Amino acid sequence: MKIFLDDERWPVLSHELGYEPDISGWIQEYINGEPVLRFYGSDIIVCRTVESAMAVLCQYREDVTSIMFDNDLGTAFEGKDFAKQLIEWDLDEHEAGRKGLCDNLDFSVHSQNVSAASYIEGLMKQYLSQRS
């Protein structure tokens, strides 16, 4: 399962599906009351807000193997807020004796906001290296 956090763009699926589907193939569903988008045959869930990304993370926990961050989401909460929240969530889960993030979580940042992208990348790299 992969989380693609972005308020405008769509993930490229051609490498996963062997072709690039058009946008009409995406289906909206709700996870813990938060709207997300899925394409049949792909393990990517598109989240347009931090709240929907957290809902997916809480629902699928260690099954989330990759997170693709954008920062500027057009809401009060940005991608860097999601990075902070997921680290706090993971620490809380470990403290409570529950499994949080998967052990080999992969992430990427595709934000055009250079300073926010550097912040997210640095924060995630530091946390994941100390966590393992």
Side-chain angles (χ1 to χ4, degrees):
M1 182 78 48
K2 300 171 185 156
I3 295 174
F4 184 85
L5 178 62
D6 199 306
D7 64 322
E8 295 177 342
R9 287 173 285 222
W10 297 90
V12 176
L13 297 180
S14 55
H15 63 280
E16 221 177 301
L17 301 175
Y19 65 96
E20 190 57 41
D22 67 27
I23 293 173
S24 66
W26 289 88
I27 300 167
Q28 182 169 326
E29 61 182 52
Y30 292 85
I31 296 178
N32 295 329
E34 293 292 334
V36 298
L37 298 161
R38 286 191 187 201
F39 190 86
Y40 181 75
S42 171
D43 67 346
I44 296 176
I45 296 179
V46 176
C47 300
R48 298 299 192 196
T49 66
V50 169
E51 294 84 1
S52 63
M54 281 305 299
V56 171
L57 189 61
C58 291
Q59 176 77 24
Y60 291 103
R61 302 180 162 274
E62 70 268 14
D63 291 336
V64 174
T65 58
S66 180
I67 300 173
M68 295 159 269
F69 290 88
D70 183 25
N71 183 67
D72 302 319
L73 302 174
T75 65
F77 295 107
E78 300 180 325
K80 61 185 174 188
D81 299 312
F82 177 54
K84 291 182 222 173
Q85 284 183 15
L86 77 87
I87 290 169
E88 289 174 24
W89 173 80
D90 188 53
L91 290 168
D92 290 345
E93 293 301 293
H94 280 281
E95 188 175 306
R98 295 184 296 261
K99 182 77 171 143
L101 296 172
C102 76
D103 291 332
N104 56 346
L105 180 72
D106 183 38
F107 76 94
S108 62
V109 182
H110 57 270
S111 178
Q112 294 177 4
N113 181 329
V114 177
S115 63
S118 295
Y119 177 83
I120 294 168
E121 194 166 307
L123 183 66
M124 291 298 297
K125 279 183 180 178
Q126 180 181 13
Y127 179 70
L128 294 174
S129 69
Q130 290 177 356
R131 184 177 179 267
S132 53

